[in-house]
Protein backbone atom coordinates (compact mmCIF):
# COMPACT_ATOMS: atom_id res chain seq x y z
CA UNK A 1 0.00 0.00 0.00
CA UNK A 2 2.79 2.46 0.87
CA UNK A 3 5.30 1.49 -1.81
CA UNK A 4 3.68 3.71 -4.46
CA UNK A 5 3.47 7.41 -3.71
CA UNK A 6 3.79 10.85 -5.26
CA UNK A 7 6.06 13.70 -4.20
CA UNK A 8 5.01 17.32 -4.80
CA UNK A 9 7.14 20.45 -4.44
CA UNK A 10 5.31 23.78 -4.50
CA UNK A 11 5.28 27.25 -3.02
CA UNK A 12 2.61 29.57 -1.68
CA UNK A 13 3.12 33.30 -2.19
CA UNK A 14 2.05 36.13 0.13
CA UNK A 15 -1.40 36.20 -1.53
CA UNK A 16 -1.98 32.53 -0.69
CA UNK A 17 -1.63 31.37 -4.29
CA UNK A 18 -0.17 27.86 -4.72
CA UNK A 19 2.34 27.29 -7.55
CA UNK A 20 3.59 23.82 -8.47
CA UNK A 21 7.35 23.43 -8.92
CA UNK A 22 7.93 19.71 -9.42
CA UNK A 23 6.02 16.39 -9.19
CA UNK A 24 7.37 12.85 -9.11
CA UNK A 25 5.78 9.40 -8.81
CA UNK A 26 7.74 6.76 -6.90
CA UNK A 27 7.55 2.99 -6.61
CA UNK A 28 9.81 1.64 -3.87
CA UNK A 29 10.84 -2.01 -3.86
CA UNK A 30 10.81 -3.65 -0.41
CA UNK A 31 13.40 -6.41 -0.06
CA UNK A 32 12.21 -9.74 1.40
CA UNK A 33 12.34 -9.73 5.20
CA UNK A 34 12.01 -5.93 5.40
CA UNK A 35 8.21 -5.83 5.29
CA UNK A 36 6.33 -4.14 8.17
CA UNK A 37 9.35 -2.05 9.18
CA UNK A 38 9.49 1.73 9.31
CA UNK A 39 11.99 3.33 6.99
CA UNK A 40 12.92 6.80 5.80
CA UNK A 41 14.03 7.87 2.36
CA UNK A 42 15.53 11.30 1.68
CA UNK A 43 14.69 13.23 -1.47
CA UNK A 44 16.50 16.40 -2.41
CA UNK A 45 15.15 18.97 -4.81
CA UNK A 46 17.37 21.82 -5.93
CA UNK A 47 15.57 24.95 -7.08
CA UNK A 48 16.94 27.16 -9.81
CA UNK A 49 18.01 30.74 -8.98
CA UNK A 50 14.92 32.78 -8.16
CA UNK A 51 14.17 35.31 -10.87
CA UNK A 52 12.33 38.13 -9.10
CA UNK A 53 11.00 39.36 -5.78
CA UNK A 54 7.66 37.77 -6.67
CA UNK A 55 9.29 34.40 -5.84
CA UNK A 56 9.04 35.29 -2.13
CA UNK A 57 6.91 32.79 -0.23
CA UNK A 58 6.88 29.52 1.68
CA UNK A 59 8.16 26.45 -0.16
CA UNK A 60 6.72 23.02 0.70
CA UNK A 61 7.23 19.33 0.03
CA UNK A 62 4.21 17.02 0.18
CA UNK A 63 3.89 13.24 -0.16
CA UNK A 64 0.68 11.41 -1.07
CA UNK A 65 -0.13 7.68 -0.65
CA UNK A 66 -3.55 6.92 -2.12
CA UNK A 67 -5.84 8.95 0.20
CA UNK A 68 -3.18 10.01 2.77
CA UNK A 69 -1.28 13.32 2.41
CA UNK A 70 1.66 14.45 4.54
CA UNK A 71 3.05 17.96 4.19
CA UNK A 72 6.28 19.43 5.58
CA UNK A 73 6.39 22.61 7.66
CA UNK A 74 7.73 24.61 4.73
CA UNK A 75 10.66 26.97 4.34
CA UNK A 76 10.07 30.70 3.99
CA UNK A 77 12.25 32.36 1.34
CA UNK A 78 12.53 36.15 1.08
CA UNK A 79 13.78 37.31 -2.32
CA UNK A 80 15.26 40.80 -2.46
CA UNK A 81 15.85 42.77 -5.64
CA UNK A 82 19.44 43.85 -4.97
CA UNK A 83 20.56 40.63 -3.35
CA UNK A 84 23.15 40.57 -0.61
CA UNK A 85 25.65 43.41 -0.67
CA UNK A 86 28.48 43.26 1.82
CA UNK A 87 28.98 46.62 3.52
CA UNK A 88 32.24 46.07 5.33
CA UNK A 89 34.71 48.96 5.36
CA UNK A 90 37.26 47.36 7.69
CA UNK A 91 40.32 47.93 5.50
CA UNK A 92 39.39 51.51 4.64
CA UNK A 93 38.83 52.37 8.31
CA UNK A 94 42.10 50.69 9.36
CA UNK A 95 44.17 52.54 6.72
CA UNK A 96 42.53 55.88 7.56
CA UNK A 97 43.08 55.45 11.29
CA UNK A 98 46.72 54.39 10.77
CA UNK A 99 47.35 57.41 8.51
CA UNK A 100 45.84 59.85 11.04
CA UNK A 101 47.84 58.35 13.93
CA UNK A 102 51.06 58.47 11.89
CA UNK A 103 50.46 62.12 10.94
CA UNK A 104 49.74 63.06 14.58
CA UNK A 105 52.85 61.20 15.75
CA UNK A 106 55.09 62.94 13.21
CA UNK A 107 53.57 66.34 14.07
CA UNK A 108 54.03 65.78 17.83
CA UNK A 109 57.65 64.67 17.34
CA UNK A 110 58.38 67.72 15.16
CA UNK A 111 56.83 70.06 17.77
CA UNK A 112 58.90 68.49 20.58
CA UNK A 113 62.16 68.81 18.59
CA UNK A 114 61.33 72.42 17.57
CA UNK A 115 60.43 73.40 21.18
CA UNK A 116 63.76 72.00 22.48
CA UNK A 117 65.74 74.19 20.13
Amino acid sequence: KYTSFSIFYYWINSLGQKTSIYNKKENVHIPPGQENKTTAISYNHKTMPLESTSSTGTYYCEVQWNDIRKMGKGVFVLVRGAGYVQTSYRWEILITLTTILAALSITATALLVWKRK
Side-chain angles (χ1 to χ4, degrees), residues 62-75:
E62 185 175 304
V63 179
Q64 179 179 353
W65 298 269
N66 298 326
D67 57 342
I68 301 171
R69 283 188 168 234
K70 294 291 181 180
M71 184 173 75
K73 294 179 182 177
V75 175

Side-chain angles (χ1 to χ4, degrees), residues 9-114:
Y9 292 96
Y10 60 90
W11 68 282
I12 298 177
N13 65 15
S14 59
L15 301 174
Q17 299 166 326
K18 183 177 176 178
T19 303
S20 178
I21 299 171
Y22 179 76
N23 299 328
K24 183 178 182 179
K25 289 187 182 261
E26 283 287 332
N27 286 308
V28 178
H29 173 71
I30 300 175
Q34 296 296 314
E35 300 91 350
N36 297 323
K37 290 188 177 180
T38 301
T39 188
I41 301 173
S42 295
Y43 289 90
N44 294 322
H45 178 71
K46 187 174 183 178
T47 58
M48 300 307 290
L50 302 173
E51 297 172 2
S52 68
T53 56
S54 63
S55 298
T56 294
T58 306
Y59 288 72
Y60 294 94
C61 173
E62 185 175 304
V63 179
Q64 179 179 353
W65 298 269
N66 298 326
D67 57 342
I68 301 171
R69 283 188 168 234
K70 294 291 181 180
M71 184 173 75
K73 294 179 182 177
V75 175
F76 179 76
V77 177
L78 174 63
V79 182
R80 298 188 330 188
Y84 177 73
V85 179
Q86 189 171 358
T87 57
S88 175
Y89 299 104
R90 279 186 270 173
W91 284 108
E92 290 85 352
I93 292 171
L94 183 63
I95 290 170
T96 304
L97 187 60
T98 303
T99 303
I100 291 171
L101 289 175
L104 287 174
S105 177
I106 291 169
T107 304
T109 303
L111 286 173
L112 286 172
V113 170
W114 176 70

